[in-house]
Structures are given as C-alpha cells and as structure tokens.
Amino acid sequence: MLLKLTLLLLLALPTLALDNGLARTPPMGWMSWERFRCNIDCRNDPKNCISEALYKDMAERLVEDGWLKLGYEYLIIDDCWSFTSRDSRGRLMPDPVRFPNGIPKLAHYVHQLGLKLGIYADMGTHTCAGYPGTTLEQIQTDAQTFAEWQVDMLKFDGCNSNAEEQQQGYPLMSKALNATGRPIVYACSWPVYRGGLPPSVNYTLLGEICNLWRNYYDIEDSWDSVLNIVDWFFQSQDYLQPASGPGRWNDPDMLIIGNFGLSLEQSKAQMALWAIMAAPLIMSNDLRTLSSEARNILQNKAVIAINQDPLGIQGRRILKDEGHIEVFWRPLSKSASALVFLSRRTDMPYRYHSTLSLLNYTTGSYTAYDVFKDEIVFLPSEKTHFTITINPSGVVMWYIYPDESWENIEEF
Ligand SMILES: *[C@@H]1O[C@H](CO)[C@@H](O)[C@H](O)[C@H]1NC(C)=O
Ligand SMILES: *[C@@H]1O[C@H](CO)[C@@H](O)[C@H](O)[C@H]1NC(C)=O
Ligand SMILES: *[C@@H]1O[C@H](CO)[C@@H](O)[C@H](O)[C@H]1NC(C)=O
C-alpha cells in the first residue's frame, strides 16, 4: 500500500517546474520579517532596526554558528529596506541612512561569507508597509536592478494590486528575472492574495513561473498561528501536496522557533511539520541571542535531511482525531519515510499505541529513528505493536527505513 501510494504521488507530480535550475530542495535561510518587522527606528533601537548592520550581524551568525554548513544559506531582506521614493532614474534605492553602503556592497559581503542574498519587492503601487512598489511598467527595471546588485532571491509580495495586475505581473517578473541571465530564486506571494486555492489559484501555472509561493497568511509569534497554518495546509492537502516538488514549493511561512510564542514542545512540532510539508526552512528569529534549545531543534540534522530529501515529495496527514492525535507521513528516497505524531491534547503526555500496518506500511521489518530523542526503535514486523509518549502540543518524529536499506541511510 505504501509503495502504491508513493507511486501514485510520483505520478501525480506535474512535470514542469520553473526552469532556472534553482531550489531543487526547499530553500533554507533567514528572513527578517516575523522577528524584526518594519522597525526602522535605528536611532533608539540600533541593534534591531532594519539596516545593513542587522543583516551583517545575521550573516556572521549564519556562518559562525554552523547554520550555513547545515544548508541555511539565504539571508533574506524583507520589506522596509527601501527609501520612500525611487532614485532620479526611476530605480529602487535603499534607505541611505540605514543602508549607507548600498545593496551591492551588502551582497558582496554576504557572498564573501559563502551565503546568498534575498531581497523583497511588491507587485503593486506600494509595498505592504507603504514603500515604493513595483508596477507592471517597472518590473523589467527592478529585475535588472536586482540582477545588477547580485541578488540571489526575490520575494515578490502582492499588496496594493488587483487580481488582473497580479495575473500579468507575476509571470512578467518571472520572465524579467530570467532575461537578466542571473539565476534568481523567485518566491511569489500571489496565491495568498487570491485565497490560496483553486479555481482562483492555478498551481500548475505557479509551478511553471515560481520556485516557491506563499499560500496562506503571515505567521505570527504564537502557537495559535502555527496551528492555524498547519490546519489550513493539511485541510487543503489534496490541492497543495501535488503542486509541490523540486524547484516548486508551497511555503507555509517562516520558522518562529527561538522567539517568544512557542514552548519547547511546540518548537519541535513546528520543525517536524515543516519537514513533513517539504517547506522552505526560513528562520525569522534573533540568531544573536538564540537559546541552545532552540538552536538544537533548528539544527537537528535528521529533521533537516527529511526536509531536504531529494525526491521532494510533500507529505500528508494520514490520521486525525484519535484522542486528538494526528499522524503525518512523508515518503523519502531510498525507501525511507517520515512519520510525525502530533498531540493536540492539553492534559498530559499521551501514550499512543499503534502498528505500522495500521499506518498502511507494507510487510517487512523496519527501524525507526526518533529524531528528537536520538533513539532507535526496532520494529521486527509491520504488525509489531509500539507505544510512544507524545507530550501536549508536542510531537514524536520518526525517520523510518526498511531494514534491508540500513546501509543506505545516513547516520545522524
Ligand atoms: C531562462 O529560461 C530558460 C528556458 O526556460 C532556461 O534554460 C534558462 O536556464 C533560464 N535562465 C535563467 C537565468 O533563469
Ligand atoms: C493553469 O495553467 C496552466 C499552465 O499555464 C494552463 O495550461 C491551464 O489551462 C490553466 N488552468 C486553468 C484552469 O486555467
Ligand atoms: C490505509 O488504507 C486504507 C485503504 O486504502 C484507507 O482507507 C486508510 O485511510 C489508510 N489509512 C491510513 C492511516 O493511511
């Protein structure tokens, strides 16, 4: 059954992806928005305002604290970087006080460290925070500017434009980026502004023009927000899951682990579910003050390997509401798979009993690696009963492989 399902999922994958060779696995990195928003008060809050200094700080942390080695390579500037008007030639320009050396210098600095730079623009008259937007007429100029600045990723938001302008603008920007000759990952916010689901959203088209796209509302610093996003994504999985694949990803938004809204258990849950969803792993936190607990979760090699699996098949929720336990499954390369058991309970650690055959695994013996506990669980047969303890608003995540493929699996 599992094999059949895997095959079906593979066949269901549309074949076309944006042909720029980028984002073959979900992009990983850091973005300013959720944690630092539109804080432009550099006079009173110099360490936390949107500025060259903030991005340089984060760039250094990404390299020195081992993030880059694990794949977190994109440093992404979000809204509020620009000046309140365009320059005399009609080109976007950064705020001269907060970015005194300009974006090309910042790009150079970031590249020297081995990182890549992302930037933000908005399809519309103004960005969401009210800075100059990119109208249809300005798309080519802005694509050219970003390429000249040596930018490696563009997040193209959609505030202050209507459906028709978006219908024209998002494909036009894709063409304009391609025409620059510079490989630039293209992240589209288009679907959010059209409700995220067919028929208003055409995921076939999105996969042809964008590398990733935001389907749903912005994440906020709370468990409610994470659950709301998780619920929407898995309720919509029949539409979203087949839309995703190498070069074309659904984006449930940033990882907020290390901020203020999530407990340790909830932090593990966000990480696990983002890995199941083949979601971009873009942190928005303060890497300068991250706790070691948060760092350990975000740097968990097994979870990252699951997220970055080369097959790039998004996972699904396969069971719901058994004592408020939900089970999620993702097929991986080398006949492996991942399971996440999420507890939505609010009482106490819950002892959950099951077998792999109840989760539709085929005949065989399996080994499960508990990625957060760093423990091995042997399952001599698909019928072997197991009991796991799942904490309230927490997860147990297993990396599972059939025993015959043991040598093929990386050790963590
Ligand atoms: C532009 O598109 C062509 C055809 O789809 C592709 O071969 C090429 O690699 C793309 N170039 C860039 C820079 O994205
Ligand atoms: C969606 O986009 C694809 C690719 O551009 C196109 O072939 C298809 O007709 C579109 N579907 C709908 C329902 O508009
Ligand atoms: C297992 O497969 C059966 C038959 O296709 C299906 O009804 C059931 O929902 C599946 N269960 C899980 C947990 O995937």
Side-chain angles (χ1 to χ4, degrees):
M1 181 60 208
L2 185 72
L3 275 177
K4 253 196 241 156
L5 203 50
T6 309
L7 203 59
L8 271 177
L9 291 175
L10 281 170
L11 291 173
L13 281 179
T15 46
L16 286 170
L18 173 56
D19 190 13
N20 62 4
L22 301 173
R24 305 304 295 171
T25 60
M28 296 173 67
W30 184 93
M31 181 184 274
S32 50
W33 186 258
E34 198 291 315
R35 178 62 187 259
F36 295 96
R37 307 286 170 137
C38 194
N39 177 359
I40 55 169
D41 187 3
C42 291
R43 185 183 304 253
N44 295 308
D45 198 7
K47 292 291 280 179
N48 300 304
C49 65
I50 298 301
S51 68
E52 188 177 293
L54 179 73
Y55 293 107
K56 281 181 150 179
D57 273 0
M58 295 307 162
E60 283 159 20
R61 296 274 56 82
L62 282 171
V63 175
E64 286 170 25
D65 299 341
W67 300 99
L68 174 59
K69 261 196 306 230
L70 292 164
Y72 291 94
E73 60 175 342
Y74 286 95
L75 177 76
I76 307 162
I77 300 172
D78 209 286
D79 202 350
C80 306
W81 62 271
S82 89
F83 190 50
T84 50
S85 62
R86 288 175 175 257
D87 71 10
S88 56
R89 296 156 61 205
R91 307 194 343 160
L92 288 170
M93 59 179 283
D95 182 285
V97 175
R98 292 182 286 116
F99 293 83
N101 297 300
I103 305 296
K105 284 257 173 64
L106 181 58
H108 180 70
Y109 180 81
V110 160
H111 290 153
Q112 245 185 344
L113 290 174
L115 298 162
K116 298 196 162 92
L117 186 69
I119 204 162
Y120 170 99
D122 184 281
M123 172 64 241
T125 54
H126 296 85
T127 71
C128 298
Y131 289 86
T134 305
T135 60
L136 291 172
E137 297 71 41
Q138 290 162 331
I139 283 177
Q140 270 191 349
T141 306
D142 291 355
Q144 197 60 45
T145 304
F146 297 144
E148 279 170 27
W149 288 352
Q150 309 282 294
V151 161
D152 308 290
M153 178 191 278
L154 172 65
K155 171 176 176 177
F156 203 32
D157 212 340
C159 279
N160 305 305
S161 53
N162 62 34
E164 249 164 67
E165 289 160 340
Q166 291 165 3
Q167 182 81 31
Q168 287 184 52
Y170 279 97
L172 207 58
M173 179 57 93
S174 186
K175 282 213 189 81
L177 290 174
N178 179 279
T180 67
R182 183 174 176 82
I184 297 177
V185 172
Y186 183 34
C188 301
S189 299
W190 188 11
V192 191
Y193 292 90
R194 305 270 60 89
L197 294 175
S200 319
V201 175
N202 181 340
Y203 279 108
T204 310
L205 175 60
L206 273 171
E208 290 167 11
I209 65 163
C210 309
N211 293 118
L212 61 156
W213 46 79
R214 283 282 313 284
N215 317 63
Y216 192 63
Y217 299 121
D218 285 4
I219 199 162
E220 304 280 343
D221 194 3
S222 78
W223 176 236
D224 273 358
S225 173
V226 170
L227 272 188
N228 183 254
I229 289 171
V230 165
D231 282 340
W232 187 85
F233 271 80
F234 288 101
Q235 276 156 19
S236 316
Q237 64 185 358
D238 289 346
Y239 297 113
L240 305 184
Q241 191 272 335
S244 161
R248 38 184 302 162
W249 310 103
N250 293 302
D251 180 5
D253 211 5
M254 294 158 270
L255 295 167
I256 57 166
I257 298 159
N259 293 329
F260 310 100
L262 302 186
S263 70
L264 211 54
E265 292 303 314
Q266 292 162 351
S267 301
K268 291 176 192 167
Q270 192 192 19
M271 192 69 187
L273 291 168
W274 262 235
I276 287 288
M277 286 191 275
L281 297 181
I282 311 287
M283 306 178 278
S284 190
N285 49 16
D286 191 343
L287 297 174
R288 298 167 301 194
T289 58
L290 211 60
S291 70
S292 57
E293 288 87 355
R295 179 176 296 121
N296 288 341
I297 294 168
L298 289 160
Q299 297 197 342
N300 186 300
K301 284 188 182 161
V303 187
I304 292 172
I306 290 167
N307 174 270
Q308 295 287 302
D309 186 77
L311 277 184
I313 299 174
Q314 185 174 327
R316 298 174 67 90
R317 179 163 61 196
I318 57 172
L319 267 187
K320 192 170 178 251
D321 275 341
E322 291 224 336
H324 298 288
I325 301 300
E326 298 181 9
V327 184
F328 303 82
W329 169 76
R330 179 176 171 187
L332 304 173
S333 52
K334 298 173 185 162
S335 309
S337 60
L339 282 174
V340 167
F341 304 87
L342 167 73
S343 170
R344 305 189 62 136
R345 301 175 70 91
T346 53
D347 50 2
M348 58 186 275
Y350 185 75
R351 286 169 53 76
Y352 183 70
H353 310 280
S354 194
T355 66
L356 287 181
S357 67
L358 286 174
L359 303 173
N360 282 344
Y361 278 68
T362 44
T363 314
S365 61
Y366 294 87
T367 301
Y369 174 66
D370 183 322
V371 303
F372 291 117
K373 273 205 194 139
D374 190 21
E375 272 175 22
I376 297 279
V377 183
F378 295 106
L379 300 159
S381 124
E382 78 286 357
K383 299 220 158 60
T384 306
H385 285 265
F386 61 80
T387 301
I388 51 176
T389 302
I390 318 164
N391 294 335
S393 68
V395 288
V396 170
M397 184 175 208
W398 279 0
Y399 188 126
I400 300 186
Y401 45 91
D403 277 343
E404 62 270 21
S405 72
W406 159 241
E407 317 87 57
N408 293 327
I409 305 293
E410 315 175 34
E411 287 203 58
F412 298 104

